[in-house]
Amino acid sequence: MSDTTTRSHGFLRRHGGKLIASVIITAGIVFTLEKGGLTLVPEGGDFAHVRWWTLPAYLVTLAVMSYFRAVRWRFLLRSFAEVPRRRVLAVSWIGFAAILLMPFRIGEIVRPYMLREKGKLSMSSATGTVVAERVVDGLYLSVLLALALILVPTRNPLSDKVIGLPITVAQVRASGFIMLAVFTAAFITIAVFYFAREWARRMTLAVFSLFSKRLGDKLAETAENLANGLHFLGRGRDAGGFLAETTAYWMLNAAGMWLLAWGCGVVHADGSAITFGEACALMGMLGCTILIPGPPGLLGVFQAGIYAGMAMYFPAHVLTGPGAAYVFILYAIQLAWTVAAAGIFLVGDRGALSKLSATPGLAGPSEPPSSLDNPRAA
């Protein structure tokens, strides 16, 4: 049996259940959308109001946004190793494609695995920085969404149901505040383990050792390793740089979504155009929905998030007309860009392709433990 076949079988053994679950989730969401009058592929007439020049303009904002999303990682990594910006960009863009295309975000392992380096950067240290990045992103986005939900006026009266989805608009709004609570709690947890490590370890052992001492030790060790990703907070230059580029990333994301929505003819009942604050709310609601364990490509989950956000501000005929065109174009451009950006580096760097194919969890059997997985090796 060839090595490729062996890896394929290993992947299916590891993730067959996740793949089946992702297919069920996708089918359920698509069926619900279609039953409610929303489609993944709009009719031709839905594109009648599209200003086609806004598509390449949006692609420019997406490329610049993706650059900042990727390279800001270097500020978190500097606590452990100095990694060239080009390598951070390459590994990040490849990793983003893996996260998008693999079910249940199992592609998250790609970035730390591809960047680890014996005697320089351990797997656990790199993973800790990725977790810190995710928590900060979640907190940043949920704060932005909460502000939009509080400050940006919604339709009056609000619809009872989100068209195409079995949820109320009130539940959509509530989910934004729930996301804020979840990421605030996550940030506080890893921050406590970072700034008060011994106390946090004692408390964890005291609570979980009532059930299992082994479980308490494991949870405390895992939390400590993940908390190491907050080392950048103790370095003013790195903390400032990371937060500045994170702000650039999210603001460009919102600006691009705003531009494309305007370009697709998304308007209010009175004909006025979408506002920047509303675009921030749509971006935040998308962030809420992709927290759901998703299918490859986030198919269905992505569309549901944008439609749920639009229901707070736009009438039903806009959601099923220009809104449907907007959701389709937004998804198609993001998917194509993410895959193409990863392909740029995979085609030009055979070493990157080799590391990607050997990533544990994505291919065949896992590698045996090594010094790369020892946090003391960094």
Short mmCIF file of all heavy atoms in Angstrom, two decimals, residues 94-112 356 359 362:
data_model
loop_
_atom_site.label_atom_id
_atom_site.label_comp_id
_atom_site.label_asym_id
_atom_site.label_seq_id
_atom_site.Cartn_x
_atom_site.Cartn_y
_atom_site.Cartn_z
N ILE A 94 -1.21 29.16 4.92
CA ILE A 94 -1.45 27.73 4.74
C ILE A 94 -2.37 27.22 5.86
O ILE A 94 -3.30 26.46 5.62
CB ILE A 94 -0.12 26.94 4.72
CG1 ILE A 94 0.68 27.31 3.47
CG2 ILE A 94 -0.38 25.44 4.76
CD1 ILE A 94 2.11 26.79 3.48
N GLY A 95 -2.09 27.66 7.08
CA GLY A 95 -2.90 27.25 8.22
C GLY A 95 -4.34 27.74 8.12
O GLY A 95 -5.28 27.00 8.45
N PHE A 96 -4.55 28.97 7.64
CA PHE A 96 -5.91 29.49 7.51
C PHE A 96 -6.72 28.65 6.52
O PHE A 96 -7.91 28.40 6.73
CB PHE A 96 -5.88 30.95 7.03
CG PHE A 96 -5.23 31.90 8.00
CD1 PHE A 96 -4.68 33.10 7.55
CD2 PHE A 96 -5.16 31.61 9.35
CE1 PHE A 96 -4.08 33.98 8.43
CE2 PHE A 96 -4.56 32.49 10.25
CZ PHE A 96 -4.01 33.68 9.78
N ALA A 97 -6.08 28.22 5.44
CA ALA A 97 -6.77 27.37 4.47
C ALA A 97 -7.13 26.02 5.09
O ALA A 97 -8.22 25.49 4.86
CB ALA A 97 -5.91 27.17 3.23
N ALA A 98 -6.21 25.47 5.90
CA ALA A 98 -6.48 24.18 6.56
C ALA A 98 -7.65 24.31 7.52
O ALA A 98 -8.52 23.43 7.59
CB ALA A 98 -5.24 23.70 7.29
N ILE A 99 -7.70 25.42 8.28
CA ILE A 99 -8.81 25.64 9.22
C ILE A 99 -10.13 25.73 8.47
O ILE A 99 -11.15 25.16 8.88
CB ILE A 99 -8.58 26.93 10.04
CG1 ILE A 99 -7.36 26.78 10.95
CG2 ILE A 99 -9.82 27.28 10.86
CD1 ILE A 99 -6.90 28.08 11.57
N LEU A 100 -10.12 26.44 7.34
CA LEU A 100 -11.35 26.63 6.56
C LEU A 100 -11.83 25.33 5.92
O LEU A 100 -13.02 25.03 5.93
CB LEU A 100 -11.11 27.69 5.48
CG LEU A 100 -12.28 27.97 4.52
CD1 LEU A 100 -13.46 28.54 5.28
CD2 LEU A 100 -11.85 28.91 3.41
N LEU A 101 -10.90 24.56 5.38
CA LEU A 101 -11.28 23.40 4.57
C LEU A 101 -11.51 22.13 5.37
O LEU A 101 -12.17 21.21 4.90
CB LEU A 101 -10.21 23.14 3.51
CG LEU A 101 -10.01 24.27 2.48
CD1 LEU A 101 -8.88 23.93 1.53
CD2 LEU A 101 -11.29 24.54 1.70
N MET A 102 -10.94 22.05 6.59
CA MET A 102 -11.11 20.86 7.40
C MET A 102 -12.30 21.03 8.35
O MET A 102 -12.55 22.13 8.84
CB MET A 102 -9.85 20.58 8.22
CG MET A 102 -8.59 20.43 7.37
SD MET A 102 -8.71 19.16 6.11
CE MET A 102 -8.81 17.70 7.15
N PRO A 103 -13.03 19.94 8.62
CA PRO A 103 -14.19 20.06 9.52
C PRO A 103 -13.78 20.28 10.96
O PRO A 103 -12.70 19.89 11.38
CB PRO A 103 -14.88 18.70 9.35
CG PRO A 103 -13.78 17.76 8.99
CD PRO A 103 -12.83 18.57 8.14
N PHE A 104 -14.65 20.92 11.72
CA PHE A 104 -14.49 21.08 13.17
C PHE A 104 -13.17 21.77 13.54
O PHE A 104 -12.62 21.51 14.61
CB PHE A 104 -14.60 19.72 13.88
CG PHE A 104 -15.99 19.17 13.88
CD1 PHE A 104 -16.48 18.50 12.78
CD2 PHE A 104 -16.83 19.35 14.97
CE1 PHE A 104 -17.78 18.00 12.76
CE2 PHE A 104 -18.12 18.84 14.97
CZ PHE A 104 -18.60 18.17 13.86
N ARG A 105 -12.65 22.60 12.65
CA ARG A 105 -11.44 23.39 12.89
C ARG A 105 -10.24 22.52 13.29
O ARG A 105 -9.34 22.97 14.02
CB ARG A 105 -11.69 24.44 13.99
CG ARG A 105 -12.81 25.40 13.65
CD ARG A 105 -12.96 26.48 14.70
NE ARG A 105 -11.84 27.42 14.61
CZ ARG A 105 -11.85 28.52 13.86
NH1 ARG A 105 -12.88 28.80 13.11
NH2 ARG A 105 -10.82 29.34 13.85
N ILE A 106 -10.18 21.28 12.80
CA ILE A 106 -9.03 20.44 13.12
C ILE A 106 -7.76 20.95 12.44
O ILE A 106 -6.66 20.53 12.80
CB ILE A 106 -9.28 18.96 12.75
CG1 ILE A 106 -9.59 18.81 11.25
CG2 ILE A 106 -10.39 18.37 13.59
CD1 ILE A 106 -9.81 17.37 10.82
N GLY A 107 -7.92 21.88 11.51
CA GLY A 107 -6.75 22.47 10.86
C GLY A 107 -5.99 23.43 11.76
O GLY A 107 -4.91 23.91 11.39
N GLU A 108 -6.52 23.72 12.96
CA GLU A 108 -5.83 24.63 13.89
C GLU A 108 -4.43 24.13 14.25
O GLU A 108 -3.55 24.90 14.60
CB GLU A 108 -6.65 24.80 15.18
CG GLU A 108 -7.93 25.58 15.02
CD GLU A 108 -7.71 27.09 14.98
OE1 GLU A 108 -6.54 27.53 14.89
OE2 GLU A 108 -8.72 27.81 15.03
N ILE A 109 -4.21 22.81 14.17
CA ILE A 109 -2.92 22.23 14.55
C ILE A 109 -1.84 22.54 13.52
O ILE A 109 -0.64 22.44 13.82
CB ILE A 109 -3.07 20.69 14.70
CG1 ILE A 109 -1.84 20.07 15.38
CG2 ILE A 109 -3.29 20.03 13.36
CD1 ILE A 109 -1.64 20.50 16.80
N VAL A 110 -2.23 22.95 12.31
CA VAL A 110 -1.27 23.11 11.22
C VAL A 110 -0.24 24.19 11.52
O VAL A 110 0.97 23.98 11.35
CB VAL A 110 -2.01 23.43 9.90
CG1 VAL A 110 -1.02 23.90 8.82
CG2 VAL A 110 -2.75 22.19 9.41
N ARG A 111 -0.67 25.35 11.96
CA ARG A 111 0.28 26.45 12.18
C ARG A 111 1.35 26.13 13.20
O ARG A 111 2.55 26.26 12.91
CB ARG A 111 -0.46 27.74 12.55
CG ARG A 111 -1.13 28.41 11.38
CD ARG A 111 -1.42 29.87 11.66
NE ARG A 111 -2.41 30.02 12.71
CZ ARG A 111 -2.59 31.13 13.42
NH1 ARG A 111 -1.81 32.17 13.22
NH2 ARG A 111 -3.53 31.19 14.33
N PRO A 112 0.99 25.70 14.42
CA PRO A 112 2.06 25.39 15.38
C PRO A 112 2.94 24.23 14.93
O PRO A 112 4.15 24.25 15.16
CB PRO A 112 1.31 25.05 16.67
CG PRO A 112 -0.10 24.82 16.28
CD PRO A 112 -0.34 25.63 15.06
N LEU A 356 3.07 20.03 5.80
CA LEU A 356 1.62 19.99 5.88
C LEU A 356 1.12 18.56 5.79
O LEU A 356 0.25 18.15 6.55
CB LEU A 356 1.01 20.84 4.75
CG LEU A 356 -0.52 20.85 4.67
CD1 LEU A 356 -1.12 21.45 5.92
CD2 LEU A 356 -0.98 21.61 3.43
N THR A 359 1.50 16.60 9.05
CA THR A 359 0.91 17.13 10.28
C THR A 359 0.08 16.07 10.99
O THR A 359 -0.85 15.52 10.40
CB THR A 359 0.01 18.35 9.98
OG1 THR A 359 0.79 19.35 9.32
CG2 THR A 359 -0.56 18.92 11.26
N LEU A 362 -3.95 15.30 10.66
CA LEU A 362 -4.47 15.56 9.33
C LEU A 362 -4.16 14.41 8.39
O LEU A 362 -4.81 14.23 7.38
CB LEU A 362 -3.88 16.85 8.74
CG LEU A 362 -4.20 18.14 9.49
CD1 LEU A 362 -3.70 19.32 8.69
CD2 LEU A 362 -5.68 18.26 9.74
#
